[in-house]
Amino acid sequence: MELNDGQEHFIKYKDFLRRYNSIKAALYYLIETLPVRRIYIPYYYCPTTTDAIKCTGIDVLFYHINDDLLPEELPDESGSAVLLVNYFGVRSGELRKLTDNFRNSVVIADNAHSFFSEPVMRDGIYQVYSAKKFFGVPDGAYLVGSSVAPAGETTGYSHNYAGFLLTSYEAGTNAAYSMKKAADKVIADSPGNMSSLALGLLRNVDYGRTFRRREDNFSILHQRVGNYNELSLPDRCAAYLYPFLLAGRGRELKRYLIQNRIYVPTLWSGDDLLKNGNDFELSMSDDAVFLPVDQRYDSDDMNYIAESLISFLRRS
């Protein structure tokens, strides 16, 4: 492989970041080092990440979100940490403003879905980002904050599970699906540092192109189907996915899209959510449909997705 010695997206924060192989690893390390006794996390959240946080031994308390994808109510307490989630990457501005409300609690902003959100560089505020969700890399996550010390970290290795990238490139994502799931399990079972291959690839990404393509794709979908969406979203956003809520019919819509070769994931359905989630959170778990907007796709793909979704709505 010939990889240029380029620059990562977060190069200007190189003295305030650490690199990990996953968001779970980044959060585990951070929480283990924080002087807090408890952490508040949302019910509507990745259940495996919730489990990783519980494994730190810290007291885990839950909070609800409203239909703007923002916290309903959160205390600002000394000895506590608050995990704020930038859902799907569509609430960057609101989350930045929300951090100003906390002067006693430590704030952790989960930007796993919002790689291009600028970090807030203030004491007591930390951000985690997922490279793995946004780019063709075998693993990768960042922890960024003004109090983060870039220790002499060693890179990890991914050659034993990175083959899915080559298979996907030559044979398509469907051919690599089972390999990708197996790689995800390896990473989940072995939290650690970002691999040298991931770091090399991230130094060769065209970040400007990626940002523009995601923002343009999001905008096309929002123009075409935004009037049918029960979520209020920005007109343009370099998001992870385009969230489309169709209460009561989301599962049927997912099946219809998959039949039309439009893959849509399901987020999330952990036990804590299913037992205690409010109506909106449960509706998101059951009926939110997450449409792809990433840089592999162009305007023709977005219009195909939009036409398929509109066809379903007219048919039903």
Side-chain angles (χ1 to χ4, degrees), residues 7 15 37 39 44 53 72 75 80 113 120 130 138 140 158 160 196 200 204 209 247-248 262 264 271 280 285:
Q7 293 186 339
D15 294 327
R37 300 182 301 276
I39 185 169
Y44 184 58
I53 292 173
E72 284 191 341
S80 296
H113 291 174
V120 176
S130 175
S158 59
N160 60 326
S196 54
N204 284 265
R209 172 189 171 275
I262 301 169
V264 288
D271 290 340
F280 173 72
S285 179

Side-chain angles (χ1 to χ4, degrees), residues 136-150:
V137 293
D139 58 81
Y142 292 94
L143 168 64
V144 184
S146 63
S147 301
V148 175

Side-chain angles (χ1 to χ4, degrees), residues 271-288:
D271 290 340
D272 295 302
L273 170 66
L274 296 178
K275 291 176 183 176
N276 300 296
N278 62 26
D279 290 345
F280 173 72
E281 294 158 346
L282 293 173
S283 179
M284 287 295 296
S285 179
D286 288 339
D287 293 313

Side-chain angles (χ1 to χ4, degrees), residues 17-54:
L17 65 78
R18 291 195 178 195
R19 303 174 184 88
Y20 296 91
N21 63 356
S22 68
I23 285 283
K24 298 177 189 68
L27 286 173
Y28 189 89
Y29 161 81
L30 174 60
I31 293 169
E32 283 275 274
T33 62
L34 290 176
V36 297
R37 300 182 301 276
R38 69 189 73 86
I39 185 169
Y40 292 87
I41 66 175
Y43 281 109
Y44 184 58
Y45 192 50
C46 173
T48 59
T49 306
T50 297
D51 290 342
I53 292 173
K54 289 178 178 178

Side-chain angles (χ1 to χ4, degrees), residues 162-311:
F164 73 88
L165 290 172
L166 302 180
T167 300
S168 177
Y169 186 82
E170 293 191 336
T173 53
N174 287 343
Y177 181 75
S178 60
M179 297 174 67
K180 172 64 165 59
K181 299 302 288 184
D184 288 342
K185 187 176 187 310
V186 171
I187 295 168
D189 292 342
S190 305
N193 293 327
M194 182 186 293
S195 70
S196 54
L197 176 58
L199 181 56
L201 291 169
L202 288 168
R203 287 174 173 162
N204 284 265
V205 169
D206 186 340
Y207 292 102
R209 172 189 171 275
T210 299
F211 178 90
R212 291 188 297 271
R213 180 61 62 84
R214 283 180 178 267
E215 192 177 56
D216 288 345
N217 287 345
F218 186 98
S219 179
I220 292 170
L221 282 181
H222 195 58
Q223 290 173 14
R224 296 291 310 276
V225 304
N227 288 338
Y228 305 103
N229 197 346
E230 296 174 25
L231 293 173
S232 175
L233 301 177
D235 293 333
R236 298 183 66 80
C237 185
Y240 174 48
L241 297 157
Y242 182 89
F244 185 90
L245 181 60
L246 190 65
R249 290 189 290 166
R251 294 194 178 196
E252 184 184 354
L253 174 57
K254 290 176 198 176
R255 290 192 294 270
Y256 179 82
L257 293 176
I258 292 171
Q259 289 169 3
N260 285 272
R261 301 186 67 183
I262 301 169
Y263 170 72
V264 288
T266 298
L267 307 173
W268 292 287
S269 58
D271 290 340
D272 295 302
L273 170 66
L274 296 178
K275 291 176 183 176
N276 300 296
N278 62 26
D279 290 345
F280 173 72
E281 294 158 346
L282 293 173
S283 179
M284 287 295 296
S285 179
D286 288 339
D287 293 313
V289 180
F290 302 103
L291 306 175
V293 296
D294 65 72
Q295 59 269 24
R296 294 172 294 178
Y297 307 112
D298 57 21
S299 58
D300 289 340
D301 298 310
M302 295 303 103
N303 283 311
Y304 173 73
I305 292 171
E307 288 296 334
S308 298
L309 193 152
I310 293 169
S311 175

